[in-house]
Amino acid sequence: MGLYYSYYKTLIEASDLTEGMYKITHDNLTEYPSTINTVQRFTLYPEIFVAGFYRLYMSVMEYMELPTKQCWRVERGQNLLPVMSCEGLGDPMFFYVHIVWLMSGMTTMVMFAYGTFISESVAGGFLSVLCFFFNHGECTRVQFAPPLRESFAYPLFLWHMFTVTAYLTFLVGKENHQVNTENKDLLKKLFKGSSILLIVWMCGCTVAPLVTWQFSQFVLAIEAAAVFAMYALRVVNKYTLVVIMLGQGVGVTVAILALYGNVMLICSVYTCLLICVLVFVLILEPIFMRALNPSIRPFLAMALVVSLTVGFKIVVSQWLDNQDDGHILNLLLSKFTDYKDFHTLLYTCSEEFDFLPAMTLHKMTSTLLIPSVIVSLLLVNVYWLRTFLDLDVSWNGKRKKSSTFPAILFNTIMLVPFTVMAVLMMRLKLFFSPHLCVMTALLASRKCFWFLNRQEIHWTLIALLISGMSITGLKNLNEQHSIVGEYSNVELEELLLWVNSTTSRTAVFAGPMSVMANLMLSTRRPVVNHPHYESADLRRRTLKVYSTFSRKRAEEVYTILASMQVNYVVLEDSWCFRRPGIGCSLVDLWDTEDPDNRHRPPLCPSLVLKDAAPFQKVFINDMYVVLHLGAQYVELTMREYKI
C-alpha cells in the first residue's frame, strides 16, 4: 500500500502533472541504482487519474476560494509528538481513499446490473447485491487495503465480464443461424459500423482492467479460453467469437502502448491466446478442421489452440528474455507437488496465498450463499435438459434455445476456474465469492422456476430465502460496521523520524519489503527492494537483501549488500526471532535455498544481540535495528612506471 501511494504523493507534490509523470517514469528511488519506469512496471494509472482529479479539484476550489479541509492538532501523550489530523477532500489521503470507495460502489452497481441481466429480473439484481453485502468480509478486502490494485481493477474486470455476457446473449441470439460464417462474409460484417462499435467498446472494457492491475491478464485469459471453448462446442458462432477476441486483442495492444511496452503483458498467456485463437479461427480451421469427424472436432480444436498458445508463449518469452511470470508456474507446482524454493515459500507461508480455509466456506454457507448457488445451478441444468428434450421445434427445424443460454453457460463455466483459484490461493476468493453472488441472481429467474404455476409462489420463496440469509448476513454486516479504531506504530515512526533527521537524502536502504515501501514513502530515501514481487530482477534483489536473515557469515552478507551500493540495512525484530509456522521462518526458507549452511547459526539474531561487525549498529528500538555499511578499508591502486 505504501509503495503505490508513494507515486500518488509524487504526482501531487510535483509543480505540475507533467513533472510528476516524468518523475515516476524516470524513478531512481524504487530500485536504486537503477532508473525504472514505474508506470510500465506497476500499472500506476489509478494513481495518475486520482492525482489528476485531485489537482483539478484543488484548482477549482482555490479559484472559487472555498475551503477544502478541516484540520486540528492531536496531542497523543506518552511523550509522542503531536500530529495534525485533517478531514475533507483537500487532504490528499482523504481524497485518494474516497475515490477507492467510489470504485467499490461501482462494484455494487455493476453487480446489480449483472444479476438483473442474467436473471431477466430486477429482483435478481437486488438478490446479488444483498448477497454481496451479507458476505462482504469474504468478497473484498478494500476496507483493509484501499490502495491495492484490486480495489481499482476488480469493478472494471466485473464490467468486462458483464460486457462479454451481454455480447454472448445478443450476438449469439441474433447470428445463431450463421455458426460457420465464411471468412469473406465475416470480414464484410466486421467492417460494418455496428461491428466496429462493438469492437471499440470491447477494446475499452479490456484496456481498463489491464492498465490498473497486472494480475488482470491472467483472469482475462481464463475468460477468453471459456469463450473459445463455447465456440468449439458450437454454442457461440464465429462472428461473436471474432468480435470478442478482436476487441480484446486491440485492447491488449492499446494497454501495451499505455504501459510503455510492458514486457510481462506482451509475453502473457492472454496475449498469446488471443493471437492463437484468431489465427486458428481465420486461417487454420477452414483448412484443416472441416474434414474431421464432428464428434472429435471440438476437442481437437481446443487441444490445438492450447498447444499453439503454450508454444508461442515460450518462443516470445525466450525471444524477449522475460521471466517475470515464472514464479507463478513454480507457485502452482508447489501446490501440487513437493517443489519448493525461497520465492514459493515466501508466498505460500503467507496466509493470503495459502489454501482456502474451511472457515470461509462455513461463513458463506451460513449465509446460504453457497446452498443458493448450488440450487440455482441445479435448476438451470434441469431447465436446459427440459429445453433440449422438448419435442417442439422452431420454424426452421431447429430446437428452441433460450436467448440467455450462452450467457448463463459462460458464467457457469467461469465459476469453475474461480473456484479452483480460490481453493488454491485464499487471496483469489476475490473472484470466487462475488461471482457466487452474481450466480445467486438466477434464483429470481422465472425460467428456472418454470414448474411453479403462480408467480406469487416464486416471490414467496425468494422472500423466505432472503429471510434465511438475513439471520447471519445482518450479523456479518454489524461486525463489519463495528470495526473502528486508529493506527499506531510508534516503533516504525521512530525509525522514520531517525532516518529523516540523521541520514543523508542520498543514503540507500535495504530491508524487509514492506518496511522499504513505507520508508521510501515517508522519507523519500532510495531503496533497493520493495514489495512488488512480479519481477524476476526484483526477486533476485530481494533474495540478496534477505541474506541478512540467513545463516551466511556476516562478512559474506556485507559484501553482497555493498555490491548493491547499500548504505543502511534495516532488520525487523519479528523477522529475526518469530516462528510463524513449521518451515516458514526466514531461516527455514534459507535452509531450502542454501542447504550448505544449515550447520551454521542464524545470522540475524547475532547481528541484533551481539557484535554486528563488520556492520555498525546506528539505530535500535523495540522493533527495528539499523546497521550501517561503513568502509572497511581503502584500496590503493599502484601504477607501474618504466624509467
Side-chain angles (χ1 to χ4, degrees):
M1 291 188 286
L3 180 73
Y4 292 126
Y5 189 85
S6 70
Y7 303 114
Y8 167 70
K9 182 179 178 181
T10 299
L11 288 165
I12 63 173
E13 290 182 348
S15 58
D16 55 47
L17 195 59
T18 303
E19 180 190 342
M21 283 296 297
Y22 181 84
K23 286 184 176 180
I24 66 174
T25 54
H26 299 77
D27 179 275
N28 63 350
L29 297 180
T30 307
E31 293 182 7
Y32 187 86
S34 301
T35 297
I36 64 171
N37 185 337
T38 57
V39 179
Q40 180 192 56
R41 287 276 300 277
F42 306 145
T43 55
L44 296 180
Y45 276 94
E47 281 66 34
I48 295 171
F49 283 112
V50 176
F53 285 132
Y54 176 78
R55 299 180 74 103
L56 177 63
Y57 169 78
M58 292 300 293
S59 299
V60 172
M61 298 301 284
E62 287 174 8
Y63 177 79
M64 299 176 67
E65 298 183 352
L66 295 175
T68 60
K69 61 182 177 180
Q70 181 181 4
C71 300
W72 54 91
R73 179 186 174 99
V74 179
E75 298 288 346
R76 298 184 293 169
Q78 299 178 354
N79 297 321
L80 298 175
L81 295 173
V83 294
M84 296 300 295
S85 182
C86 299
E87 281 189 0
L89 293 178
D91 181 74
M93 189 179 298
F94 197 93
F95 188 92
Y96 184 95
V97 170
H98 273 66
I99 295 295
V100 175
W101 300 157
L102 286 174
M103 294 301 296
S104 184
M106 181 181 170
T107 299
T108 312
M109 293 168 58
V110 177
M111 188 166 290
F112 174 78
Y114 207 154
T116 300
F117 185 84
I118 65 171
S119 66
E120 300 178 289
S121 168
V122 174
F126 279 113
L127 190 58
S128 292
V129 172
L130 202 61
C131 288
F132 183 75
F133 283 133
F134 284 168
N135 298 274
H136 192 265
E138 304 303 323
C139 290
T140 179
R141 56 177 184 167
V142 66
Q143 65 273 35
F144 300 117
L148 295 187
R149 302 299 82 186
E150 63 202 51
S151 301
F152 297 97
Y154 182 73
L156 301 174
F157 167 74
L158 194 64
W159 180 256
H160 188 278
M161 277 193 63
F162 178 38
T163 301
V164 172
T165 300
Y167 278 31
L168 291 174
T169 299
F170 294 125
L171 295 184
V172 172
K174 183 180 178 182
E175 305 287 341
N176 199 48
H177 61 286
Q178 293 186 358
V179 173
N180 292 312
T181 308
E182 295 293 337
N183 285 348
K184 184 178 179 181
D185 297 331
L186 180 63
L187 291 174
K188 289 181 181 179
K189 292 175 69 65
L190 290 175
F191 282 104
K192 287 185 177 180
S194 58
S195 297
I196 293 174
L197 286 176
L198 289 172
I199 291 171
V200 170
W201 182 258
M202 179 59 69
C203 168
C205 293
T206 303
V207 171
L210 286 176
V211 299
T212 50
W213 192 15
Q214 210 164 34
F215 189 78
S216 296
Q217 57 184 271
F218 300 103
V219 191
L220 291 177
I222 295 173
E223 181 191 279
V227 174
F228 177 74
M230 293 173 64
Y231 169 76
L233 295 170
R234 291 299 184 252
V235 176
V236 173
N237 57 70
K238 182 182 288 189
Y239 172 74
T240 304
L241 176 74
V242 173
V243 166
I244 293 175
M245 295 297 172
L246 194 58
Q248 294 189 32
V250 176
V252 169
T253 304
V254 174
I256 290 172
L257 295 174
L259 293 172
Y260 297 85
N262 183 284
V263 179
M264 187 174 178
L265 180 56
I266 294 174
C267 300
S268 68
V269 172
Y270 182 46
T271 304
C272 297
L273 176 63
L274 292 176
I275 293 173
C276 291
V277 166
L278 289 172
V279 168
F280 171 81
V281 172
L282 299 177
I283 300 175
L284 299 181
E285 185 181 36
I287 298 175
F288 298 108
M289 300 302 291
R290 290 187 179 180
L292 298 174
N293 189 317
S295 61
I296 65 169
R297 192 183 299 163
F299 307 102
L300 186 60
M302 288 186 278
L304 181 58
V305 168
V306 169
S307 302
L308 287 173
T309 302
V310 173
F312 189 45
K313 174 175 171 46
I314 292 173
V315 170
V316 174
S317 297
Q318 290 180 347
W319 179 45
L320 296 177
D321 192 24
N322 178 259
Q323 300 175 349
D324 288 346
D325 57 356
H327 65 299
I328 296 176
L329 179 59
N330 293 338
L331 193 56
L332 291 174
L333 284 174
S334 71
K335 294 289 183 178
F336 297 106
T337 67
D338 59 355
Y339 175 85
K340 56 184 178 180
D341 59 23
F342 182 89
H343 304 296
T344 58
L345 288 172
L346 203 60
Y347 272 109
T348 56
C349 286
S350 174
E351 182 183 2
E352 291 86 350
F353 292 92
D354 201 356
F355 289 100
L356 187 71
M359 181 57 68
T360 298
L361 298 177
H362 173 73
K363 288 180 179 178
M364 290 192 290
T365 301
S366 64
T367 59
L368 302 183
L369 176 60
I370 291 179
S372 297
V373 174
I374 293 174
V375 171
S376 67
L377 292 177
L378 288 174
L379 290 174
V380 164
N381 279 284
V382 170
Y383 171 73
W384 287 342
L385 183 62
R386 173 177 172 270
T387 302
F388 288 131
L389 294 179
D390 192 350
L391 296 179
D392 294 333
V393 294
S394 59
W395 64 271
N396 61 356
K398 295 182 179 180
R399 294 192 182 280
K400 293 178 180 178
K401 185 180 290 186
S402 169
S403 61
T404 57
F405 170 76
I408 296 175
L409 179 61
F410 167 71
N411 284 278
T412 304
I413 292 173
M414 289 300 295
L415 187 58
V416 176
F418 286 167
T419 304
V420 174
M421 289 161 58
V423 170
L424 293 179
M425 297 180 197
M426 188 268 285
R427 181 184 177 185
L428 298 182
K429 68 179 180 180
L430 156 74
F431 299 99
F432 171 63
S433 305
H435 200 65
L436 289 178
C437 298
V438 171
M439 296 299 289
T440 306
L442 293 173
L443 292 177
S445 173
R446 287 296 299 148
K447 291 179 179 178
C448 292
F449 285 87
W450 52 270
F451 52 88
L452 295 178
N453 295 327
R454 298 178 58 187
Q455 189 171 355
E456 292 80 2
I457 299 176
H458 185 193
W459 299 137
T460 301
L461 292 175
I462 296 296
L464 289 174
L465 173 64
I466 293 174
S467 300
M469 288 179 168
S470 301
I471 296 173
T472 306
L474 291 175
K475 179 182 176 182
N476 291 343
L477 272 178
N478 290 331
E479 288 179 358
Q480 291 285 306
H481 287 141
S482 67
I483 302 174
V484 178
E486 61 183 20
Y487 176 77
S488 179
N489 189 335
V490 176
E491 292 80 9
L492 179 59
E493 185 179 336
E494 291 174 349
L495 170 65
L496 298 177
L497 289 172
W498 177 84
V499 171
N500 271 329
S501 62
T502 307
T503 67
S504 166
R505 293 196 63 84
T506 58
V508 181
F509 283 79
M513 290 184 284
S514 56
V515 177
M516 291 301 98
N518 288 296
L519 190 143
M520 186 182 73
L521 166 65
S522 298
T523 70
R524 314 310 285 174
R525 300 302 195 269
V527 298
V528 299
N529 65 310
H530 54 78
H532 199 275
Y533 218 55
E534 287 77 15
S535 164
D537 181 62
L538 194 278
R539 291 194 291 273
R540 287 190 289 268
R541 284 171 170 260
T542 300
L543 184 66
K544 292 179 180 180
V545 172
Y546 281 20
S547 63
T548 53
F549 304 103
S550 69
R551 300 180 188 270
K552 296 180 183 293
R553 293 180 295 107
E555 293 78 10
E556 184 180 353
V557 174
Y558 183 99
T559 302
I560 292 172
L561 295 176
S563 68
M564 301 175 72
Q565 303 184 36
V566 172
N567 301 123
Y568 297 91
V569 58
V570 179
L571 303 180
E572 188 171 346
D573 183 87
S574 61
W575 288 46
C576 291
F577 301 102
R578 182 171 54 116
R579 304 290 294 185
I582 299 175
C584 280
S585 69
L586 282 173
V587 174
D588 294 330
L589 269 61
W590 268 104
D591 287 344
T592 301
E593 183 71 22
D594 186 20
D596 294 339
N597 282 320
R598 283 185 178 180
H599 63 283
R600 300 183 57 82
L603 174 62
C604 188
S606 175
L607 294 175
V608 172
L609 301 175
K610 301 178 182 179
D611 180 21
F615 299 95
Q616 179 186 1
K617 290 181 190 175
V618 290
F619 173 85
I620 186 167
N621 66 7
D622 292 339
M623 187 176 294
Y624 299 102
V625 173
V626 180
L627 306 178
H628 178 52
L629 281 74
Q632 290 181 282
Y633 56 89
V634 177
E635 182 177 347
L636 299 177
T637 303
M638 303 297 293
R639 294 184 179 180
E640 272 189 326
Y641 292 93
K642 292 184 179 180
I643 300 177

